[in-house]
Amino acid sequence: YGAYPGTASWANGVKYQKPLAMFTCDMPSLCPFTLAGSGITTLHDLDGKRVGLGPKGSSIDSVFGVVFEEMGITPTITALQDGVIDAIVVQSPAPWPSLTELEATQTVSMIQMTDDELATIKKLYPFYSDSVIPAGTYKANADFEIKTLCQWSVGPGFRHGRFRRCFRAGRL
C-alpha cells in the first residue's frame, strides 16, 4: 500500500509506480488475541498494555501504529521476541500456526473488534474488506465466528533486481 506513494518506511521515499506484473498471494485476516484471564476484550483495552506487532517495520506494525494513534490507544509496542507482552495482533491467513501451537499449552482469548473499530481501520486503510474467521478455526473461537478484516496480499514486480533478470530472460 505504501509502495505506490513511497510512504512505506522501507521505501525511503522512492515511489514504486510502474510494476511489470502483479500477483495475489493470500488473504490474511487481522487477528488480535491475548491469554485468557487478561481482562482484554476489545482493542481499546490495549491502552497502556504491552502489545506485540511483530518485527519493526512489518506491515502489521506499520498499520496498527497508525490505527492505535487514530483510536487514541497508546500501548507500549514491543516485539514478540521481547518475551513479555499482554496481547498480540497478527495479520495472517487463518489458522495461524503459531497461535494454534500456543493453544496447545495456553488458554487463549480472541479480542473482538467492535463495528466502530473495524470502520476506523477501513477508513484509514480502504484496502481492507470485511471478513470473518470461521467458528472452530481456533480453540478460542470454537463456537463463534470472529468479525475481522482481510486484505489481498499482492506481490508486485518492478524493473530491478531478480525480477528484472527473469523478465528479460523470458521466464515470466
Side-chain angles (χ1 to χ4, degrees):
Y1 184 72
Y4 190 82
T7 58
S9 60
W10 53 265
N12 296 321
V14 175
K15 296 178 180 180
Y16 292 87
Q17 298 181 343
K18 295 182 181 180
L20 295 174
M22 300 289 280
F23 54 93
T24 59
C25 302
D26 55 32
M27 284 185 59
S29 296
L30 294 175
C31 183
F33 63 93
T34 186
L35 295 178
S38 68
I40 299 169
T41 59
T42 70
L43 289 181
H44 281 86
D45 292 337
L46 297 176
D47 194 33
K49 303 291 188 200
R50 296 163 297 182
V51 179
L53 296 177
K56 188 73 176 153
S58 67
S59 61
I60 198 67
D61 175 61
S62 300
V63 166
F64 264 82
V66 173
V67 167
F68 286 149
E69 183 178 319
E70 178 72 18
M71 292 182 180
I73 301 169
T74 53
T76 301
I77 306 298
T78 183
L80 184 58
Q81 63 267 25
D82 290 346
V84 183
I85 59 175
D86 296 307
I88 187 168
V89 179
V90 298
Q91 180 171 287
S92 177
W96 187 49
S98 295
L99 178 50
T100 303
E101 182 180 334
L102 180 64
E103 285 189 309
T105 60
Q106 302 286 327
T107 304
V108 172
S109 179
M110 307 310 280
I111 300 171
Q112 295 276 24
M113 291 182 277
T114 66
D115 290 340
D116 287 343
E117 290 168 341
L118 294 168
T120 297
I121 295 168
K122 287 193 300 187
K123 179 181 172 195
L124 291 168
Y125 296 100
F127 53 80
Y128 278 111
S129 300
D130 292 327
S131 184
V132 297
I133 297 174
T137 301
Y138 302 105
K139 289 179 185 178
N141 77 317
D143 55 359
F144 63 93
E145 67 182 21
I146 300 166
K147 288 194 325 186
T148 186
L149 300 173
C150 70
Q151 68 170 15
W152 280 102
S153 290
V154 177
F158 295 94
R159 291 189 178 274
H160 57 79
R162 179 176 291 160
F163 184 86
R164 182 177 183 187
R165 287 189 299 275
C166 292
F167 188 78
R168 282 190 174 172
R171 287 181 256 171
L172 292 177

